[in-house]
């Protein structure tokens, strides 16, 4: 499949298989992101297009996909560095979505879809933040979240990324339901490729943690984790090869087969607001 170059910046490209690719900006999609993206687009294909907010959008790459699918998108990104990257990516790719760094006072009951992908684990008081997201969903709207799965798998990667926790299935369902949301769908995605990359990457994350010299607050680690892609820049040519694409398609199929198991490395949960 050919990659479509941006009409405004040939260095920022859109590929239906990968989404936005912008090596010049330091952004290429990692494997876990691609596995999650495949599932998010599948789930939202069954949801009516409407106003959509992505909380903690990072580089904003997923917003390019969702805006192309008819959603009227806003990305909320409190990290100034990440928001600046997301704004440049949107402008360079000609995508029609807005990036803001602070919530707006008039967001209550505004959005048909509020989503946050691998964000909630970065929040110390996840219940308070979740309640705020739910408040922004209009009646009859949807909340779509992803979180890392299995508290027993806590490791160096979680520390490096600034996580406060990983989630187990039943407590996650109770947390969402406690906000008055009705659970439509939950799946455990990523098996087996995301599990392997998570396990294999522990040694790398331990080395990266050692280079920090001293512990830093999770909030500071979180601000960097969504946009640091140096290692993936070196790996992306392999992923983008014909063999790499074929292998990824195979893993997409295996992932779909295994969604109802609890073997994956992350949960995706879709809920509705009465």
């Amino acid at each position: 499949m050919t990659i479509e170059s941006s009409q405004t910046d040939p260095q920022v490209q859109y590929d239906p298989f990968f989404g936005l690719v912008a090596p010049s900006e330091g952004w290429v999609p990692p494997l876990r992101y691609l596995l999650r993206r495949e599932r998010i687009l599948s789930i939202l294909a069954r949801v009516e297009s409407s106003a959509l907010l992505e909380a903690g959008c990072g580089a904003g790459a997923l917003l390019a996909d969702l805006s192309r699918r008819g959603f009227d998108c806003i990305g909320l990104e409190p990290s100034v560095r990440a928001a600046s990257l997301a704004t440049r990516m949107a402008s360079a790719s000609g995508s029609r979505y807005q990036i803001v760094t602070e919530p707006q006072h008039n967001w209550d009951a505004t959005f048909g879809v509020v989503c946050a992908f691998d964000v909630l684990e970065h929040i110390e008081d996840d219940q308070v933040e979740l309640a705020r997201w739910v408040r922004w969903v209009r009646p009859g709207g949807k909340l779509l979240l992803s979180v890392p799965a299995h508290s027993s798998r806590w490791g160096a990667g979680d520390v490096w990324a600034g996580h406060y926790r990983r989630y187990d299935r039943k407590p996650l369902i109770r947390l969402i339901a406690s906000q008055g949301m009705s659970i439509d769908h939950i799946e455990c995605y990523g098996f087996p490729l995301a599990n392997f990359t998570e396990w294999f990457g522990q040694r790398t994350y331990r080395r990266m943690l050692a280079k920090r010299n001293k512990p830093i607050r999770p909030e500071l680690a979180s601000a960097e984790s969504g946009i640091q892609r140096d290692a993936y820049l070196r790996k992306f040519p392999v992923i983008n090869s014909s063999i790499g694409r074929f292998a990824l398609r195979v893993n997409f199929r295996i992932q779909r087969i295994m969604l109802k198991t609890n073997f994956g490395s992350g949960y995706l949960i879709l809920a509705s607001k009465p």
Side-chain angles (χ1 to χ4, degrees), residues 16 34 46 50 53 60 81 101 109 126 155 169 175 207 222 268:
L34 290 170
R46 304 189 294 271
S50 60
L53 172 71
R81 182 182 173 194
T101 57
D126 57 350
R169 182 185 290 260
L175 177 64
R207 186 168 62 249
S222 297
L268 269 165

Side-chain angles (χ1 to χ4, degrees), residues 84-116:
S84 177
L85 172 60
T87 300
R88 293 197 307 272
M89 294 262 284
S91 176
S93 65
S95 298
R96 297 180 179 178
Y97 54 85
Q98 180 185 2
I99 304 296
V100 298
T101 57
E102 294 181 351
Q104 306 301 299
H105 70 278
N106 60 345
W107 277 1
D108 285 6
T110 293
F111 298 98
V113 180
V114 171
C115 49

Side-chain angles (χ1 to χ4, degrees), residues 9-10 33 55 68 71 102 127 132 140 145 152 168 183-184 188 200 215 217 230 237 244 246 257 261 265 274:
D9 185 346
Y33 168 87
R68 284 169 178 260
F71 289 94
E102 294 181 351
Q127 193 160 12
R132 183 166 70 154
L145 304 178
S152 61
D168 296 307
I183 308 300
D184 298 331
C188 193
F200 186 77
R217 285 186 55 79
D230 294 346
F246 173 77
I257 292 170
T261 73
S265 72

Side-chain angles (χ1 to χ4, degrees), residues 108-136:
D108 285 6
T110 293
F111 298 98
V113 180
V114 171
C115 49
F117 304 121
D118 283 19
V119 174
L120 196 60
E121 66 276 10
H122 293 270
I123 309 298
E124 186 170 10
D125 194 333
D126 57 350
Q127 193 160 12
V128 168
E129 187 67 15
L130 181 61
R132 183 166 70 154
W133 295 345
V134 169
R135 193 166 66 245
W136 294 338

